[in-house]
Amino acid sequence: MASSDGSAGAPPSATVEVPGTAAPVLVVGAPGLPEADFRNAVESSLFKQWLRNLQSEKGVLTYGRLNLTRVLIQGVDMFGKRVGFLKFKADIVDEETKTKVPGIVFARGPAVAVLIILESKGETYAVLTEQVRVPVGKFLLELPAGMLDDEKGDFVGTAVREVEEETGIKLNIEDMVDLTALLDPATGGRMLPSPGGCDEEIGLFLYRGCVDEETIRSLQGKETGLRDHGELIKLRVVPYNHLWRLTGDAKALSAIALYEMAKREGLLPQPMAPPSANL
């Protein structure tokens, strides 16, 4: 990448070498975007991963018809010292028709979610979180979930950590089943909830265990989450066979579909030890 230039009040800019493009790609900052935010954006793992995706086996630039000419960095949200959210617009041109392909991107990176199924006294339950979701202006019932906060791609480790943070249930990594890994490898083995505008890819995991009735009662309505991070979470334990009607959460609905299909096809391993709840 060539050094950025924000001199004389001009928006910061840089050029990036991207294999598969006709020329180096110009990356510019929107008017008013601080130079530091621009540099953080261009050097972020979110932006670099997006560039790698363009050149992947099924990438936008792979077949030569589409060409990336310019990227406008519009907004950056920092999570401490790392870029948490990134908003940009990519100018991608169809070389046959000379028209632009829609290219507004909200980049937030990979995440995980866990379908927790608990057996108790012959009944099957699912554990959900209830929390405020400002973008939709509602409290929502969802699977326990969280973003990967490093570049190591540790999906299963993040899944276990997020479950403990949001529910207090300690899970063993070896008991986790990666449901999205059962997808055809050509899909990338992740669920894409909104690829028309967002790069988020989610690893969906399954955990099954057996608990007593007291554990079910203790989990119901329990307040959890990292309060210093603004997480105001209550747990809801619901009958599993009602789950698909109780939430519009795409993570939950996708996990149910994968779980039921995998169960039907005999692809699930036998469940191991029950979880121990940190109540």
Side-chain angles (χ1 to χ4, degrees), residues 19-256:
T21 58
V25 176
L26 177 65
V27 183
V28 299
L33 184 74
E35 173 75 20
D37 281 357
F38 177 80
R39 288 181 177 275
N40 286 332
V42 175
E43 295 297 331
S44 70
S45 60
L46 292 176
F47 190 66
K48 291 179 179 179
Q49 183 60 53
W50 178 75
L51 292 176
R52 286 193 291 269
N53 289 345
L54 295 178
Q55 306 157 56
S56 64
E57 183 179 353
K58 290 193 174 183
V60 167
L61 303 181
T62 301
Y63 303 106
R65 176 170 176 172
L66 301 177
N67 187 36
L68 174 65
T69 60
R70 182 176 180 268
V71 178
L72 175 67
I73 304 294
Q74 298 171 310
V76 180
D77 287 299
M78 300 297 296
F79 291 5
K81 294 184 179 180
R82 71 180 181 90
V83 175
F85 296 148
L86 176 60
K87 170 75 162 45
F88 60 91
K89 183 178 181 181
D91 289 343
I92 294 182
V93 178
D94 183 331
E95 293 296 344
E96 291 187 9
T97 64
K98 301 303 179 182
T99 57
K100 286 185 180 180
V101 176
I104 296 174
V105 181
F106 172 53
R108 54 172 294 158
V112 297
V114 186
L115 174 61
I116 302 174
I117 295 179
L118 301 178
E119 301 282 346
S120 181
K121 292 290 185 178
E123 300 292 334
T124 304
Y125 300 93
V127 180
L128 301 174
T129 63
E130 181 181 47
Q131 55 186 311
V132 63
R133 291 305 193 189
V134 174
V136 295
K138 300 177 182 179
F139 283 91
L140 294 182
L141 289 175
E142 306 177 30
L143 294 187
M147 300 169 61
L148 269 68
D149 55 9
D150 57 40
E151 299 181 27
K152 298 177 182 177
D154 183 11
F155 280 81
V156 65
T158 300
V160 169
R161 184 173 64 252
E162 290 295 334
V163 166
E164 184 171 353
E165 288 179 359
E166 294 196 353
T167 71
I169 301 175
K170 294 183 178 179
L171 308 182
N172 297 317
I173 287 181
E174 58 269 22
D175 297 335
M176 304 288 283
V177 178
D178 187 346
L179 294 172
T180 38
L182 301 175
L183 295 170
D184 189 295
T187 67
R190 298 289 176 239
M191 188 269 283
L192 306 175
S194 188
C198 182
D199 74 330
E200 184 178 36
E201 56 176 22
I202 301 178
L204 297 174
F205 291 83
L206 168 70
Y207 187 86
R208 296 165 292 173
C210 298
V211 297
D212 55 29
E213 290 178 300
E214 178 57 31
T215 297
I216 297 295
R217 286 193 294 268
S218 298
L219 289 172
Q220 191 68 266
K222 180 181 178 182
E223 295 186 353
T224 65
L226 301 177
R227 296 306 170 103
D228 56 340
H229 289 189
E231 294 182 345
L232 305 175
I233 297 172
K234 283 190 177 181
L235 299 187
R236 301 298 182 197
V237 183
V238 303
Y240 171 73
N241 60 358
H242 294 172
L243 175 58
W244 70 278
R245 300 189 67 183
L246 295 176
T247 178
D249 177 31
K251 302 182 297 297
L253 298 176
S254 298
I256 292 168

